[in-house]
C-alpha cells in the first residue's frame, strides 16, 4: 500500500525533541521504537495540514504553523499486517514543553503508542534504542545550529 505522511520534529525551549515509543500490537516480537509525531495524509489534505492535525491529535497541542519540510524520505515497512511504502515529509516546530495528551488519537494510535518523552540531542546520539527516522539526531543537530 502506498501512503503519504507528514511528521513533525517538535522542539521545546530547551532544544529537546518530543518522541513517542510505539509498537505493533500484531507483532509483539518486533519490540518497540521511538518516532516523531505525525502520520498519513487524509484525502485532499496537504502535508502541512496533516502535520498540524497529527500533532493536535497525538499530543493535544494545536500548532498554528510548522516550517519545512526539512527532510523527506521513502520507507518500506509492515504495520498491523499491512505492507506499506511511505513517502514522508518532516516539518519542524518550536514550542514550550507541555504534557502530552492522547485524547484525540485514533484507536490505532491508542493501541500502538506506549509513552512519550522529550529527548536531548545527547540522548539521541547515545541511545541504542531504535529511532525513526534513523537520521533524526543529525536533523536535530542541524536545527539546533541554525
Amino acid at each position: 500500500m502506498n501512503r503519504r505522511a507528514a511528521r513533525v520534529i517538535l522542539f521545546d525551549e530547551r532544544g529537546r525533541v518530543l518522541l513517542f515509543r510505539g509498537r505493533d500490537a500484531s507483532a509483539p516480537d518486533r519490540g518497540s521504537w521511538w518516532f516523531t509525531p505525525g502520520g498519513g495524509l487524509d484525502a485532499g489534505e496537504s502535508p502541512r495540514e496533516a502535520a498540524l492535525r497529527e500533532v493536535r491529535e497525538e499530543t493535544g497541542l494545536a500548532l498554528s504553523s510548522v516550517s519545512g519540510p526539512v527532510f523527506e524520505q521513502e520507507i518500506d515497512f509492515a504495520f498491523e499486517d499491512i505492507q506499506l511504502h511511505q513517502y514522508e515529509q518532516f516539518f519542524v516546530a518550536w514550542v514550550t514543553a507541555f504534557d502530552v495528551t492522547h485524547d484525540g488519537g485514533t484507536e490505532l494510535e491508542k493501541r500502538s503508542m506506549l509513552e512519550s518523552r522529550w529527548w536531548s540531542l545527547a540522548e539521541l546520539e547515545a541511545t541504542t534504542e531504535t529511532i525513526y527516522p534513523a537520521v533524526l539526531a543529525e536533523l536535530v543537530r542541524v536545527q539546533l545550529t541554525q
Side-chain angles (χ1 to χ4, degrees):
M1 174 178 167
N2 290 324
R3 173 174 129 139
R4 293 180 63 207
R7 309 208 67 81
V8 180
I9 304 170
L10 196 58
F11 287 91
D12 74 0
E13 69 280 4
R14 294 172 44 196
R16 299 177 304 168
V17 176
L18 180 66
L19 297 179
F20 296 114
R21 186 169 68 90
R23 66 182 177 135
D24 182 342
S26 70
D29 56 314
R30 290 181 50 209
S32 64
W33 54 88
W34 293 90
F35 58 96
T36 61
L41 276 63
D42 287 342
E45 190 174 46
S46 74
R48 189 172 306 277
E49 291 167 336
L52 296 172
R53 176 185 51 76
E54 287 286 341
V55 167
R56 185 180 64 255
E57 288 176 0
E58 294 177 354
T59 71
L61 179 68
L63 291 174
S64 59
S65 66
V66 291
S67 60
V70 298
F71 178 68
E72 299 177 16
Q73 73 174 3
E74 289 187 47
I75 186 169
D76 293 306
F77 62 98
F79 190 76
E80 295 261 324
D81 299 321
I82 299 171
Q83 190 63 38
L84 295 162
H85 177 80
Q86 183 162 278
Y87 171 72
E88 303 177 319
Q89 291 181 298
F90 287 78
F91 295 86
V92 170
W94 288 81
V95 300
T96 300
F98 63 97
D99 292 327
V100 172
T101 64
H102 297 287
D103 299 338
T106 65
E107 287 307 311
L108 173 63
E109 289 166 342
K110 291 175 183 175
R111 186 170 59 246
S112 61
M113 291 179 162
L114 302 173
E115 65 179 306
S116 62
R117 82 170 248 233
W118 295 94
W119 290 69
S120 70
L121 176 57
E123 290 170 324
L124 288 172
E125 291 175 330
T127 190
T128 57
E129 296 194 58
T130 302
I131 297 194
Y132 292 112
V135 297
L136 184 60
E138 180 181 331
L139 297 171
V140 168
R141 188 179 317 103
V142 167
Q143 292 300 312
L144 293 175
T145 59
Q146 290 185 348

